[in-house]
Amino acid sequence: MAIQELTPAQARQRQQQGVRLIDVREAHERVTGMAEGADGIDRATLEAAPQRHAPDRDAPLLLICQTGRRSMQTADALAALGYTALASVAGGTSAWQAEGLPTVLPDGDIDLDFHERYSRHLKLPEIGLAGQQRLADARVLVIGAGGLGSPAAYYLAAAGVGTLRIADDDVVDRSNLQRQILHAEDRIGLPKVASAATTLTGLNPRTRIEAVAERVTSANVDRLLEGVDVVLDGADNFPVRYLLNDACVLHGVPLVYGAVHRFEGQVSVFDAGRARGQRPCYRCLFPEPPPPEAAPNCSEVGVLGVLPGVIGLLQATEVLKLLLGLGEPLSGRLLQFDALRMQFRQIRLAPDPECPVCAEGRTFRGYIDYAAFCAAG
Ligand SMILES: [Zn+2]
């Protein structure tokens, strides 16, 4: 049996004569508006149990989707099951709306804000409703609301990470504004975490900000990691990096590392805590920090303003992948970026079987507070 294709106006006319219209799109698509009077039953549900949703196989039935393709396919599937009076709306809801026919928002307790805000994620089958829910349930610890933490936290909040715990004991300085995009001119002198909370809540009020105006030390690192799924190191200084590394190995939390210097940056994922002996930690590369006198005084080193943006967003990308279980994490690889040459280079990192912290069977030796010699970038 050939399926009839109707224009939206024709379908509307039939509908007014009492013919039933079913919108076969997914619930998250219907929240942006559906043809007035239509019943929302997504295609999979309808095809799985058509007798339940449309018991009379000889009663005329109109189907509509977004563009007219899925409704046609659904009609084909129903015809094969013995339905005899099917029609599909050509051009779907898009055409229906374009022709100015009436639409309504679906009833029920569908969270319109959630579905609108994350619609571009929900359209990705790799994320979808389940993935977006996972992000909403996640808590990420962002160390530093500076050059790396700013772009990273900005996009993580936009993407829908449910809770961002941000730790930074610094205040906003005018020299920060060249790259630390969470802050603003009128917040100079305010705590960075307060400024960050203002910006992030303005962007996405659904994201909960846990502002911690503290420097990371051995005394508070366990507390900071409590209930955290992933740690993003945006502090870019040695004492914090080693402390976070050791704590993340101890607690089995992946650490997304980033660093910038002048025109170059690098990023990696250290996930030794969840895979001892299989993935490296930061100490597998550099067992101990350099002596303070050998390290540059970071507050005096320049950095190209966009560079932390590039590196911070690579870190945020890895955080999202880890939370969603997507793709291949940058674990066991160090990605280096050279802005002047516009080149990426990748170095393989192997776990060190003698690593003082993450080697298999190694017992935790306690935290070490190294002397601070490099302020947050
Ligand atoms: Zn290690």
Side-chain angles (χ1 to χ4, degrees), residues 92-309:
T93 306
S94 298
W96 183 283
Q97 286 169 325
E99 291 188 17
L101 293 170
T103 59
V104 292
L105 294 177
D107 315 325
D109 53 358
I110 288 174
D111 185 338
L112 186 61
D113 177 282
F114 181 91
H115 285 89
E116 281 188 336
R117 184 178 299 272
Y118 304 126
S119 65
R120 297 305 191 276
H121 270 171
L122 297 171
K123 281 176 202 288
L124 290 171
E126 292 85 352
I127 300 180
L129 200 54
Q132 196 63 48
Q133 202 53 56
R134 243 167 121 164
L135 294 181
D137 294 338
R139 180 187 275 114
V140 174
L141 173 62
V142 177
I143 299 297
L148 297 169
S150 279
Y154 221 149
Y155 268 89
L156 291 176
V161 171
T163 307
L164 290 176
R165 183 177 293 163
I166 305 175
D168 197 315
D169 69 332
D170 212 356
V171 295
V172 179
D173 183 88
R174 182 166 282 114
S175 69
N176 300 150
L177 302 179
Q178 166 246 24
R179 65 203 176 284
Q180 301 183 14
I181 58 166
L182 282 180
H183 311 304
E185 179 74 16
D186 62 1
R187 295 186 215 140
I188 289 172
L190 292 182
K192 283 188 180 178
V193 287
S195 168
T198 300
T199 302
L200 297 171
T201 305
L203 172 67
N204 188 352
R206 302 185 75 99
T207 295
R208 207 151 55 94
I209 307 299
E210 297 177 344
V212 185
E214 293 173 34
R215 171 187 297 269
V216 186
T217 66
S218 59
N220 65 7
V221 70
D222 288 326
R223 171 163 53 84
L224 286 171
L225 256 83
E226 223 173 81
V228 162
D229 300 291
V230 180
V231 176
L232 186 146
D233 178 10
D236 200 5
N237 72 70
F238 286 109
V240 170
R241 188 171 305 155
Y242 280 90
L243 204 49
L244 286 178
N245 180 74
D246 296 359
C248 284
V249 171
L250 178 68
H251 293 284
V253 177
L255 173 65
V256 181
Y257 150 80
V260 290
H261 183 74
R262 291 169 51 81
F263 298 98
E264 291 166 30
Q266 53 189 23
V267 53
S268 188
V269 171
F270 295 110
D271 203 359
R274 297 193 300 176
R276 293 280 184 118
Q278 293 162 47
R279 297 177 196 150
C281 79
Y282 187 74
R283 283 192 195 268
C284 293
L285 271 71
F286 306 106
E288 295 295 328
E293 58 273 19
N297 182 345
C298 298
S299 62
E300 289 171 11
V301 175
V303 63
L304 183 67
V306 293
L307 183 69

